[in-house]
Amino acid sequence: MIRKTIFISLLAASALLAKAQENIYMFEYSMGFPTGDLRDYIDEPSFRGFNFGYRYMLDENRALGLDIGWQTFYEKKDYATYTDGTSSITGIQYRYTNAFTASLQIDQVFNEGSDIRPFIGLGAGTSYMRRTLDMGLYRLERDPWQFMLQPEAGVSLYTTNGNLVMLTFNYYWGFATKQLDAQSFLAVGLAYAFGD
Amino acid sequence: MSSLLRNTFSMLIGTALFSSCYPDQPDNIEAYDLVYTNYSPTYDFKEFNTYAVPDSVVIITGDLAEGEQPSKVSALYGDQIVGRIRENMDRLGWTEVAATENPDVLVLPAAVKTLNVDAYYYGGGYWGWYYPYYGYGWYYPGYYPTYTSYTTGSLILTMIAPNDLSPTENQPVLWVGVLNGLLEGSNASIISRMTANIDQAFKQSEYLKQ
């Protein structure tokens, strides 16, 4: 009984502590799922991604912050012939896209006072999309900076020590440039965050 | 000492980042093999019937001095290359004739072992020793061989029409095939890859069929 009371007290205290946090720092592992032109190029999910996020709580329900991240997409294409006009080339292709993203985010957080708090947000920033094609001894590369929008949604779970475990869904929507069509992907992330 | 540690640490991070950004790389020699072909759309290959091919393969090494003869690939490889070209041309319905019998086209094999060569630079100068009447330049009618920088380990097959001179007396390149890869492995392995890639060059060029 005493143990249960202590546990509930700690939980309540952590919720209060969480509410008092103004700065939140987030470290996230993410999985990427390519869409659009990126999917045409690489039709495989990525399990190599990492993000860092910072949020400043404007009040109990709104946050401003910054996200930076990196996601690597990769696909090996079997030995095949690619024809363009009169030219044909045959070989094995190794395709890569390294997406480096940075955005300013604004979030709306729901369920004030609860330990489980869903949120939605929108960000704008840039993505550096490094697209690499290795074929034989040759490497072709394009690496545009694209303007990027980043809508996000997720849910935060406050732990007993006042830190957070978060499940996030981000859509990285880079806009087309002369060098490369619009590059986009959906990322599902699992994050650990703490505040002060 | 501390700078050594710092450099080592930087190298480790760099290596880790690089391998993370490019998670899988070719793990065998064959995976580096490439076969490129291109052709002139302004010619109908069915208008040509006879071909000639030299009995050896020259090695492109850069500028040749006046009267200098180019080096040749050893017969071990050269015979295989020329033989495979013949097999494929015959399979596609062409008839081989001697170079002196006025062939419709010449198929010229050349190897690049140790340098980068530009297709235009390569031109026809290397064949003057073989075909004494030769002395013209080349041009690419109606297409541009984008694959013009031939690097170490390339075999270039060039099909020209020696009788079809342009107003500037250049000979048209009707077809070009470039096989590129690492020159590593046993002789048998190199020959096996080379012949397979020659076959592939013709396989992806079925428009050559008579």
Side-chain angles (χ1 to χ4, degrees):
Chain A
M1 183 63 187
I2 293 173
R3 193 176 292 175
K4 191 175 179 184
T5 306
I6 292 172
F7 178 74
I8 290 170
S9 302
L10 278 174
L11 207 62
S14 71
L16 286 171
L17 185 66
K19 284 175 191 170
Q21 289 170 350
E22 284 194 335
N23 299 293
I24 296 175
Y25 307 93
M26 179 188 75
F27 296 91
E28 181 179 58
Y29 165 73
S30 76
M31 296 167 285
F33 301 88
T35 59
D37 183 71
L38 179 56
R39 185 174 178 175
D40 292 341
Y41 181 60
I42 296 175
D43 193 13
E44 293 286 343
S46 157
F47 299 100
R48 290 166 180 261
F50 186 79
N51 299 308
F52 168 76
Y54 164 75
R55 293 292 184 278
Y56 174 74
M57 298 302 295
L58 296 169
D59 56 36
E60 290 297 325
N61 298 311
R62 290 179 302 157
L64 267 180
L66 169 77
D67 278 355
I68 57 175
W70 163 56
Q71 192 83 42
T72 293
F73 294 90
Y74 159 72
E75 184 175 11
K76 176 186 176 184
K77 294 282 186 185
D78 289 339
Y79 190 79
T81 300
Y82 302 86
T83 297
D84 180 19
T86 57
S87 67
S88 296
I89 191 161
T90 300
I92 296 172
Q93 288 191 353
Y94 295 83
R95 299 181 176 189
Y96 311 92
T97 292
N98 278 281
F100 299 93
T101 57
S103 63
L104 292 172
Q105 299 284 130
I106 184 163
D107 294 311
Q108 178 71 44
V109 190
F110 305 101
N111 279 5
E112 184 179 347
S114 168
D115 287 336
I116 298 176
R117 303 197 66 187
F119 61 88
I120 57 172
L122 179 66
T126 185
S127 56
Y128 173 66
M129 304 298 289
R130 195 180 183 93
R131 173 182 283 199
T132 308
L133 171 65
D134 283 354
M135 196 173 185
L137 298 169
Y138 295 85
R139 168 167 287 183
L140 302 175
E141 206 157 60
R142 281 183 278 178
D143 58 344
W145 289 87
Q146 297 188 329
F147 174 72
M148 181 191 73
L149 290 179
Q150 184 185 332
E152 67 172 336
V155 60
S156 302
L157 169 68
Y158 284 90
T159 62
T160 52
N161 61 2
N163 294 342
L164 297 89
V165 175
M166 304 167 79
L167 177 66
T168 68
F169 299 87
N170 281 273
Y171 186 66
Y172 297 89
W173 179 19
F175 285 44
T177 61
K178 281 181 184 171
Q179 200 181 141
L180 197 61
D181 286 344
Q183 301 293 291
S184 57
F185 62 97
L186 175 70
V188 179
L190 191 61
Y192 189 75
F194 59 91
D196 59 21
Chain B
M1 185 63 186
S2 64
S3 91
L4 178 67
L5 279 174
R6 201 164 47 241
N7 289 340
T8 307
F9 188 61
S10 302
M11 280 174 62
L12 281 173
I13 290 177
T15 306
L17 279 176
F18 181 81
S19 59
S20 300
C21 290
Y22 303 102
D24 193 10
Q25 299 281 304
D27 53 7
N28 58 61
I29 295 171
E30 289 85 351
Y32 286 101
D33 286 353
L34 271 187
V35 179
Y36 168 86
T37 55
N38 208 340
Y39 68 97
S40 168
T42 59
Y43 282 85
D44 179 1
F45 287 96
K46 289 188 170 52
E47 291 178 3
F48 303 96
N49 302 112
T50 58
Y51 78 96
V53 58
D55 54 18
S56 54
V57 180
V58 298
I59 300 174
I60 303 171
T61 52
D63 283 322
L64 285 181
E66 186 71 29
E68 182 187 2
Q69 288 200 1
S71 305
K72 296 175 196 171
V73 170
S74 75
L76 174 70
Y77 298 121
D79 290 351
Q80 295 285 340
I81 293 168
V82 172
R84 210 66 176 194
I85 292 170
R86 284 198 175 105
E87 276 183 35
N88 279 281
M89 289 295 283
D90 293 348
R91 178 181 65 80
L92 291 170
W94 293 74
T95 303
E96 184 177 9
V97 297
T100 52
E101 293 175 7
N102 200 27
D104 294 331
V105 301
L106 296 170
V107 183
L108 307 171
V112 183
K113 288 173 74 176
T114 56
L115 77 169
N116 291 355
V117 173
D118 186 272
Y120 295 94
Y121 165 81
Y122 163 47
Y126 270 80
W127 297 97
W129 63 274
Y130 192 88
Y131 301 110
Y133 53 87
Y134 212 109
Y136 305 102
W138 292 351
Y139 75 106
Y140 297 83
Y143 72 111
Y144 180 80
T146 50
Y147 197 107
T148 53
S149 182
Y150 306 139
T151 59
T152 298
S154 289
L155 177 67
I156 309 168
L157 309 178
T158 306
M159 178 187 286
I160 62 162
N163 304 319
D164 203 357
L165 296 180
S166 73
T168 52
E169 299 204 323
N170 282 328
Q171 291 166 321
V173 175
L174 306 186
W175 176 81
V176 61
V178 182
L179 287 54
N180 182 253
L182 293 172
L183 289 173
E184 290 180 11
S186 65
N187 289 342
S189 153
I190 291 176
I191 288 172
S192 166
R193 285 168 49 216
M194 214 160 48
T195 52
N197 287 334
I198 291 172
D199 289 349
Q200 176 59 41
F202 284 96
K203 184 182 169 191
Q204 69 190 46
S205 307
E206 284 296 314
Y207 43 80
L208 294 175
K209 198 167 186 175
Q210 294 297 290

